[in-house]
Every structure is written in structure tokens, then in C-alpha cells.
Amino acid sequence: GENVEQHPSTLSVQEGDSAVIKCTYSDSASNYFPWYKQELGKGPQLIIDIRSNVGEKKDQRIAVTLNKTAKHFSLHITETQPEDSAVYFCARGYNFNKFYFGSGTKLNVKP
Amino acid sequence: GAGVSQSPSNKVTEKGKDVELRCDPISGHTALYWYRQSLGQGLEFLIYFQGNSAPDKSGLPSDRFSAERTGGSVSTLTIQRTQQEDSAVYLCASSMGRGGSPLHFGNGTRLTVT
């Protein structure tokens, strides 16, 4: 199907702790998996992405893992900071066309 | 331009009126998307343009919704006879299309139907 299931819908962590958001999909043709961060009143901004020929990708405090066999992928944020507080969306696409998004995770990092 | 530009940023209209929302994509981007985001919800796909191909309209919720893209650049999303359930943020995104970059979003148009 088209849907991307995203969990949890809300996540509250203490500053400095790690946060993990998970997404699952069913369309095995999907080969591109971006993650977006949306701050209040703004459009989503790409923070990291991964292609299906890679199992893990890291960019400073942010990492994404992909298990193509199980059709799930996850966002990991380490050493969280208050400015990480936002809504995070996962998405899937096929050859960069017609992206489908998860329902979002509201992350709250408590100082 | 530097990014995807949407106008207006806010629109309040009365039920039954027509509205037009505008999107200026990043220069050179061949693909353009419209999404709808209801309060506290995810992104609902509406329509997708890729180059000169026929648009993918499979996400449009009713025949009151239509969109066009002139000259492969600017796009307009039109909602006719607006209803209160149309109230949402309408997001536009562009990309380089096949084999190119991921989506770049504008800041959206917040539509309120009273």
C-alpha cells in the first residue's frame, strides 16, 4: 500500500538523551527514504536521507538505519538539544517520484 | 530563487468562495508537488507535476480541487466552493525529478474557511 506507518506520535526526552523514531512501509519498490524536520509555521526541511542500497547513514548527531528486508527504517538523534524539538516526518519514494509521508512525530526535548 | 515561494502565506475566506494558491518552485526544478497538512496531521499528497508529462492528480480529494502549472514553472492550486473541511496548510514542494534531488518545501499557505 501507499501508507508509511510512523511511531511514536509524540516523544519526550531529557536534553542529552537519545531519541528514536521508527517507520514501516509495505511497497517493496520504494528505494529512497528521507526524513524531514518541521518547525512551527515552516515547511518541512530535509535533515537526512538514505537510499535502499545503504543500510546506515550518519551525519553528526543524526543517523538513519534501513532494514529493507523487514521494510522498516529509523531515525536516531543522539545528545538531543532543545533546538531538536520539532515534528519529524519520515517518507518513502521510488526514484524520487511521488513521495508518501508518515503521520509525524512530535519531539519535545526538555532542558 | 533561493527556495520554494508560496503566496499568500495566510488566506481567510468565506465558505462557498473560490481560492487560488500560488507556488514558485526553485529555478530548474522539473517536479512540483502539492500536499495538504491538516492541523496536527501528516502530509496528504494532492497532485504531482513532472516536466511536460500529464500530472498525477490521484490525490485530489474532490472535483472542487484543481491545479495547473504554466510554462513548467509556477503552479496554482484552485479550490472552488470552499468548505470548512478545506481549512489546512497547503504545502508546495519541488525537486529535480527523476534521479535528482529530494523535495524542497515552501512554508505553505494557511487556509481558513469560515
Side-chain angles (χ1 to χ4, degrees), chain B residues 4-108:
Chain B
V4 177
S5 178
Q6 291 189 246
S7 61
S9 55
N10 282 284
K11 175 72 176 178
V12 180
T13 190
E14 292 180 351
K15 177 182 173 181
K17 301 282 190 182
D18 297 352
V19 295
E20 286 189 350
L21 313 179
R22 177 187 169 103
C23 173
D24 274 285
I26 292 173
S27 178
H29 280 191
T30 59
L32 187 147
Y33 303 74
W34 284 97
Y35 286 86
R36 178 168 70 175
Q37 186 174 30
S38 300
L39 187 63
Q41 301 298 311
L43 282 69
E44 175 189 6
F45 168 77
L46 297 178
I47 188 168
Y48 158 60
F49 297 88
Q50 170 60 54
N52 295 321
S53 302
D56 181 338
K57 304 178 181 181
S58 60
L60 294 178
S62 77
D63 59 7
R64 296 186 296 105
F65 288 72
S66 63
E68 63 177 19
R69 188 179 185 191
T70 54
S73 181
V74 171
S75 177
T76 302
L77 177 69
T78 301
I79 308 173
Q80 295 178 310
R81 304 181 302 281
T82 51
Q83 304 293 314
Q84 288 185 330
E85 59 262 30
D86 298 334
S87 296
V89 174
Y90 290 83
L91 291 162
C92 176
S94 70
S95 80
M96 291 181 64
R98 294 184 180 85
S101 68
L103 297 185
H104 298 264
F105 282 88
N107 285 330

Side-chain angles (χ1 to χ4, degrees), chain A residues 62-107:
Chain A
I62 295 173
V64 57
T65 59
L66 171 66
N67 184 327
K68 200 177 180 189
T69 302
K71 298 190 182 70
H72 64 73
F73 55 113
S74 300
L75 176 71
H76 304 253
I77 306 174
T78 59
E79 300 172 26
T80 53
Q81 300 167 4
E83 53 264 38
D84 294 330
S85 296
V87 178
Y88 292 81
F89 291 97
C90 63
R92 67 168 185 89
Y94 174 68
N95 286 346
F96 301 96
N97 295 334
K98 199 170 177 181
F99 296 79
Y100 292 96
F101 286 78
S103 54
T105 296
K106 184 174 183 179
L107 174 64

